Amino acid sequence: MTSSRDRWLALNQQYLMAALAEIHQVLEQRLGQSSTGSSLELSTIASEMQDPPAIEALCTSFGLTSFERQLLLLCAGVELDASIASTCAALQGDPRHPYVTFSLALSCLPDSHWSALYPARPLRQWHFIEVASSGSLTRNPLQISERVLHYLTGGQDLDMRLSSLVERVPIPQSLVPSHQALAERLTASWITTSARERLPVVQLCGDDSGNQWAIAARACASLGLNLHVMPAHVLPSAPQDLETLARLWEREAALSQSALVLDCRSRSDSSNAITQFIEKLNSGLIIANPDRRHLDNRTLVTLDVHSPTTQEQEYVWRDALNAMNADLNGTITALVSQFNFSSPTIRAICTETQLENESEIASALWNNCRLRSRPRLEDLAQRIRPAATWEELVLPDPEKQLLQEMAMHVRQRMTVYETWEFASKGSRGLGISALFAGLSGTGKTMAAEVLAHELHLDLYRIDLSAVVSKYIGETEKNLRRVFDTAEQGGAILLFDEADALFGKRSEVKDSHDRHANIEVSYLLQRMEAYRGLAILTTNLKNALDTAFLRRIRFIVQFPFPDATQRADIWQHIFPTATPTQNLDVHKLARLSASGGNIRNMAVYAAFLAAEEREAVQMKHLLRAARVEFAKFEKSPTEAETQGWIA
């Protein structure tokens, strides 16, 4: 059965050939030749078409005159009909000139007018035809744009100059209610615009481009528009190139009934190219921004796009997983509690999760969520692969219990915040923040690893000394990028070297002192609102302002290990695959060293033993201890190492 599209293509081809035959007949008459002309009237063919022929739709959209229409058809005919090219060469008296010129068109086509040559007229303004750059304007060859030629024949491919810059945005199956409401507001802002007015630019502000694109695509679909997205970083800086790009896209928007999303998250706000492009473009334009942008010369409609609510995400998960018929009791609640994804991302994750063993679907979904949120964050922080377990973490019982309760807070936050409605009392203080204080090597990073391993979450270390900037405003910008990116996956964030930012609240003497306090307040504010667990580490707890400490939920002190704890560390420091011989953990525990130092000595001793093809022995550890202590310009005392070797 022939589809309506196939029927339109066939009739459009007939119409185009008949229109070209009319043009050819005019040329032949100019040569004094007789012509049979078209066997079908254009009006007869058009009457059978549900939608207008491509050439007529183009003329209507861009306001081409009769002469401009015929000139465009003549340029198309040279490409599509060899006999038209031959006739053009004959009219110009040279077989080497089988092409169209303005001079030829002006002399042969009816209703000709010189203004068709103006750069501001449609043929040249919209790049329907290109004029050779050298020689006489009227005698240079004219060539129809490849995109326009394909359009006249019914083709839908993008201009090659645009195809590498934009991509099609698929229409989502459905939107959650809060996003559907935004799509309807976007639609209304364009519907209510007068035909004589420029469409307002719609600005979608939010952290997740997937949500923004889905809302824009649904709104455009309801208006009968296709949607493409262009990243702002591809915009050229040169004004002439930017003008050309704007005209090419405007032409494409009219030819394919499309709107454009300009994704501005990939370009610095200091760039003028974005503003210039927005002001030049006269077709439907949507801006995807992390922050609000202000425009002086365009009407701007701003809509804030938030992630789907917890209930909406839960519905999408259940709807997307409905076909699996697996036992997912409690899994969806856990996923919604930990991860904050857009509807398209949730559906993509469910599609990716295809396992033969249904019992593994829950863990596969969890792992796919972690994988989905990794790429964006790994550009900003170092991911630590958590391997440490509770058995390896040597701490006094009170501190260990506090860490276990921290993990409990992460697991149960959905129940407390959503089911028991603590979140309805306000968003402040809902984040789970912690401060790990203690000397270097006392287990602060290992404790974070243990928590990540226990909770099956990714752990990212952010060096605060690298985040803090001397330039006002840059520190907050760096911190915002980290938190906004991590928000999606709820990873554990470990901010190392908090002393680089925290300290006693200084007396405000100048703008730099004032801004330093603002930076600290901003970090704590983001930690309090962060969905996941955020941990600060410091070697100098006493240097921190108590006003800041009150805003942190957990404070865990990591003491220097005593002899009993050091013996426990030595007991677990070597992997089971490492051969050891006659190691006395109690003698080793006499050595005053932190857990980090002990690990360094164990690794060094293992290399010594491997080189000698022996098991790790006390003699190797004695050599390792001397090397480790030499780092601090010390040596192990005789009392500490007495009896290590005979």
Side-chain angles (χ1 to χ4, degrees):
M1 183 176 178
T2 303
S3 68
S4 58
R5 171 66 182 171
D6 290 338
R7 175 172 172 75
W8 180 89
L9 284 172
L11 291 171
N12 182 72
Q13 186 71 10
Q14 289 183 30
Y15 190 95
L16 179 60
M17 291 300 104
L20 293 179
E22 285 189 352
I23 297 295
H24 196 190
Q25 183 179 15
V26 172
L27 298 182
E28 289 178 324
Q29 290 173 351
R30 182 71 177 178
L31 276 175
Q33 299 176 353
S34 59
S35 174
T36 57
S38 173
S39 59
L40 285 175
E41 290 289 337
L42 295 181
S43 58
T44 302
I45 304 173
S47 65
E48 299 181 34
M49 301 178 70
Q50 184 174 358
D51 295 317
I55 180 62
E56 306 306 341
L58 183 146
C59 291
T60 301
S61 296
F62 294 93
L64 268 62
T65 65
S66 172
F67 172 64
E68 289 167 337
R69 171 186 178 277
Q70 293 178 84
L71 176 52
L72 185 63
L73 281 169
L74 180 55
C75 291
V78 168
E79 303 290 343
L80 299 173
D81 189 339
S83 64
I84 293 179
S86 298
T87 303
C88 287
L91 284 167
Q92 296 176 92
D94 192 334
R96 296 171 300 176
H97 295 170
Y99 49 73
V100 182
T101 66
F102 270 131
S103 178
L104 174 66
L106 289 168
S107 63
C108 295
L109 299 178
D111 303 321
S112 62
H113 55 91
W114 180 264
S115 61
L117 283 66
Y118 294 169
R121 288 296 301 169
L123 291 181
R124 297 183 66 189
Q125 179 185 7
W126 302 112
H127 301 274
F128 290 161
I129 59 173
E130 302 293 341
V131 187
S133 57
S134 61
S136 168
L137 173 63
T138 59
R139 296 183 181 180
N140 279 348
L142 303 180
Q143 185 173 20
I144 188 172
S145 161
E146 182 180 352
R147 170 64 178 110
V148 176
L149 180 64
H150 294 324
Y151 173 81
L152 295 180
T153 61
Q156 298 176 312
D157 292 340
L158 289 175
D159 188 297
M160 293 180 64
R161 290 167 290 184
L162 292 173
S163 59
S164 61
L165 304 180
V166 303
E167 63 175 296
R168 181 81 173 268
V169 180
I171 302 172
Q173 298 177 7
S174 61
L175 293 180
V176 296
S178 61
H179 289 179
Q180 179 61 36
L182 292 176
E184 291 170 0
R185 289 177 61 188
L186 193 163
T187 303
S189 70
W190 283 357
I191 289 178
T192 56
T193 302
S194 167
R196 297 181 179 180
E197 297 176 319
R198 296 176 78 184
L199 287 176
V201 176
V202 177
Q203 177 175 223
L204 300 178
C205 296
D207 299 323
D208 192 304
S209 59
N211 289 326
Q212 295 167 322
W213 296 2
I215 291 168
R218 173 58 63 183
C220 288
S222 67
L223 293 168
L225 297 174
N226 299 306
L227 183 66
H228 292 77
V229 63
M230 177 190 295
H233 69 79
V234 305
L235 294 177
S237 300
Q240 185 175 356
D241 294 337
L242 195 66
E243 174 75 26
T244 299
L245 178 60
R247 296 291 77 77
L248 285 176
W249 175 256
E250 261 185 77
R251 186 186 75 182
E252 184 58 45
L255 294 180
S256 60
Q257 297 297 296
S258 295
L260 180 68
V261 170
L262 185 65
D263 191 343
C264 296
R265 69 188 62 250
S266 58
R267 180 137 186 170
S268 170
D269 287 340
S270 62
S271 172
N272 291 324
I274 295 175
T275 301
Q276 293 174 6
F277 185 76
I278 293 171
E279 292 180 351
K280 290 177 182 296
L281 208 64
N282 286 311
S283 58
L285 178 63
I286 301 163
I287 310 173
N289 261 341
D291 301 310
R292 290 180 174 236
R293 179 179 295 273
H294 300 284
L295 297 175
D296 295 329
N297 301 319
R298 291 295 302 269
T299 302
L300 189 63
V301 175
T302 300
L303 303 175
D304 290 319
V305 180
H306 301 290
S307 296
T309 65
T310 302
Q311 293 77 13
E312 289 173 340
Q313 289 185 50
E314 186 170 353
Y315 170 81
V316 176
W317 278 110
R318 294 191 185 283
D319 182 61
L321 292 171
N322 186 49
M324 290 189 176
N325 297 319
D327 182 11
L328 297 172
N329 183 34
T331 299
I332 292 176
T333 301
L335 292 172
V336 172
S337 172
Q338 184 59 44
F339 302 100
N340 188 28
F341 290 131
S342 64
S343 298
T345 301
I346 292 174
R347 295 187 184 280
I349 291 171
C350 295
T351 301
E352 294 167 0
T353 306
Q354 297 176 348
L355 297 175
E356 296 181 4
N357 188 350
E358 291 187 356
S359 64
E360 297 181 12
I361 288 180
S363 61
L365 285 169
W366 186 273
N367 290 331
N368 282 342
C369 287
R370 291 171 61 183
L371 290 172
R372 176 68 65 151
S373 59
R374 277 179 188 169
R376 294 175 60 200
L377 193 54
E378 289 189 343
D379 293 336
L380 305 172
Q382 176 194 2
R383 182 164 64 91
I384 300 174
R385 190 181 300 274
T389 61
W390 291 110
E391 291 73 21
E392 300 171 72
L393 183 63
V394 177
L395 277 177
D397 288 342
E399 282 73 19
K400 210 167 193 178
Q401 181 179 352
L402 197 56
L403 290 172
Q404 291 169 341
E405 290 175 357
M406 195 182 304
M408 176 264 292
H409 277 234
V410 175
R411 285 193 298 267
Q412 299 301 328
R413 64 185 171 184
M414 181 76 168
T415 300
V416 174
Y417 292 162
E418 301 296 335
T419 306
W420 293 356
E421 298 185 349
F422 265 74
S424 66
K425 298 294 184 179
S427 61
R428 184 173 179 180
L430 299 183
I432 302 174
S433 57
L435 176 71
F436 289 176
L439 297 176
S440 179
T442 51
K444 300 187 292 295
T445 301
M446 176 180 278
E449 285 190 50
V450 170
L451 288 170
H453 188 271
E454 166 82 5
L455 296 167
H456 302 288
L457 294 174
D458 288 332
L459 172 63
Y460 286 89
R461 177 164 54 201
I462 299 98
D463 185 356
L464 267 179
S465 62
V467 170
V468 174
S469 172
K470 65 180 180 180
Y471 298 104
I472 291 178
E474 285 300 311
T475 299
E476 293 97 312
K477 187 180 294 185
N478 294 338
L479 289 171
R480 174 177 180 166
R481 289 182 63 208
V482 170
F483 278 106
D484 286 352
T485 306
E487 191 73 40
Q488 191 181 62
I492 296 177
L493 300 180
L494 180 67
F495 290 92
D496 235 351
E497 305 294 341
D499 312 297
L501 188 60
F502 281 74
K504 292 291 186 181
R505 191 189 303 263
S506 59
E507 180 182 352
V508 177
K509 298 178 180 178
D510 57 29
S511 62
H512 291 281
D513 293 333
R514 185 181 301 107
H515 202 78
N517 289 336
I518 292 174
E519 291 171 348
V520 174
S521 297
Y522 181 79
L523 173 59
L524 291 174
Q525 172 193 336
R526 291 307 303 261
M527 289 178 65
E528 287 181 315
Y530 179 54
R531 284 173 59 96
L533 170 61
I535 302 170
L536 295 165
T537 71
T538 179
N539 298 334
L540 304 169
K541 177 190 172 186
N542 293 334
L544 303 186
D545 191 332
T546 55
F548 297 147
L549 295 180
R550 282 196 296 269
R551 298 175 63 180
I552 296 175
R553 186 178 300 188
F554 293 94
I555 298 179
V556 184
Q557 187 69 44
F558 287 75
F560 193 88
D562 59 23
T564 301
Q565 292 166 342
R566 292 197 294 269
D568 197 6
I569 295 173
W570 279 112
Q571 187 70 44
H572 296 93
I573 199 66
F574 291 102
T576 55
T578 303
T580 60
Q581 181 178 341
N582 300 326
L583 297 186
D584 190 329
V585 296
H586 298 290
K587 291 181 179 179
L588 291 169
R590 294 202 302 262
L591 192 65
S592 181
S594 67
N597 298 135
I598 291 172
R599 174 173 173 76
N600 290 343
M601 289 184 280
V603 173
Y604 197 99
F607 275 99
L608 291 174
E611 179 67 17
E612 297 175 4
R613 291 183 170 82
E614 297 178 346
V616 178
Q617 303 170 42
M618 295 295 285
K619 64 178 182 178
H620 301 123
L621 286 167
L622 180 59
R623 170 61 182 156
R626 289 169 177 164
V627 171
E628 184 68 16
F629 273 62
K631 296 178 183 178
F632 312 102
E633 299 182 353
K634 295 180 179 181
S635 297
T637 66
E638 184 176 345
E640 289 175 324
T641 59
Q642 185 178 9
W644 278 30
I645 56 176

